[in-house]
Amino acid sequence: MRILKADHPLIAHKLTYLRDKRTDSPTFRRLAEELMTLLAYEATRDVRVEPFPIETPVAPTTGIKLANPKPLIVPILRAGLGMLEGMVRLLPSAEVGFLGMQRDEETLAITTYANRLPEDLTGRQVYVLDPMLATGGSMADALRFLIERGADDITAVCLLAAPEGIAHLTREMADVTPPITLVVGSVDERLNEKGYIVPGLGDAGDRLYGVV
């Protein structure tokens, strides 16, 4: 698994305000969207393209366009929705699917409760969005779910990651054939006893949308 930590002053700047507990939900959503656009630039460096002949006002030339089948963007519900608009802004022609995975706060066990994805992902590049890579359990399950449907190139994009989550995901993905890339805005210190990233930013879903 390839790991890319996006190193840019604007990313660090926006992460600082995301972490601040005084940042309200509307501002948090805006910052998460802006940060996702910056991370998407890094995540899409290897997006598949094909030649595209055009004519400029001066002369014919050949450019590029996104190859078919188009990339698939998969936010992990519900917090991943806060990253979707920032990704779609960079890849407006991509298709979007949804995957709902939930962690039990006591046992940390993962369950899948929603799935809006094509049955066959053969030949598809997939971008998975989830703000936090904490234990790595839900992300590992999501990646295996996509691989079982035929995805052959997957990039996971997270705002923050814990070393434990990266280690777990690396172990879980060691035996898979499709290339896996992890793009993160920051690798934080550790997980606490409740499975939260430290220093982290709290519960991303609650901070995006409020406590339900």
Side-chain angles (χ1 to χ4, degrees), residues 13-205:
H13 166 77
K14 294 182 187 300
L15 272 176
T16 297
Y17 285 92
L18 279 176
R19 295 181 190 276
D20 193 336
K21 66 180 183 180
R22 296 170 295 182
T23 300
D24 58 24
S25 287
T27 305
F28 192 96
R29 287 194 295 271
R30 176 177 57 80
L31 288 169
E33 181 180 316
E34 293 172 356
L35 180 55
M36 181 62 235
T37 299
L38 294 172
L39 293 176
Y41 183 79
E42 295 294 331
T44 55
R45 284 187 180 275
D46 296 323
V47 68
R48 292 172 184 164
V49 295
E50 58 189 26
F52 184 53
I54 61 169
E55 288 193 17
T56 78
V58 179
T61 188
T62 299
I64 60 172
K65 66 175 182 177
L66 292 182
N68 286 312
K70 293 292 191 294
L72 178 67
I73 302 171
V74 181
I76 304 297
L77 303 176
R78 69 177 167 143
L81 289 175
M83 303 167 70
L84 178 59
E85 189 60 35
M87 188 73 178
V88 170
R89 179 177 292 117
L90 208 63
L91 286 175
S93 61
E95 296 179 357
V96 178
F98 298 94
L99 190 58
M101 310 192 85
Q102 190 171 31
R103 180 180 66 173
D104 186 292
E105 297 298 335
E106 297 298 325
T107 66
L108 304 185
I110 305 296
T111 56
T112 300
Y113 64 87
N115 164 27
R116 295 284 294 184
L117 294 170
E119 288 294 330
D120 186 5
L121 296 176
T122 301
R124 300 293 292 269
Q125 270 189 309
V126 181
Y127 295 89
V128 183
L129 314 182
D130 198 1
M132 316 292 281
L133 181 66
T135 64
S138 60
M139 181 62 78
D141 287 350
L143 297 188
R144 287 195 176 276
F145 188 91
L146 294 166
I147 291 169
E148 287 171 2
R149 293 199 170 200
D152 67 354
D153 189 318
I154 303 176
T155 298
V157 187
C158 302
L159 305 183
L160 298 180
E164 296 92 331
I166 293 176
H168 178 80
L169 197 60
T170 300
R171 289 193 301 270
E172 289 294 309
M173 295 297 105
D175 64 342
V176 303
T177 301
I180 306 292
T181 300
L182 173 65
V183 178
V184 298
S186 175
V187 179
D188 279 15
E189 296 173 13
R190 59 184 173 85
L191 293 179
N192 65 15
E193 64 281 358
K194 294 184 178 180
Y196 281 92
I197 298 175
V198 177
L201 48 77
D203 186 294

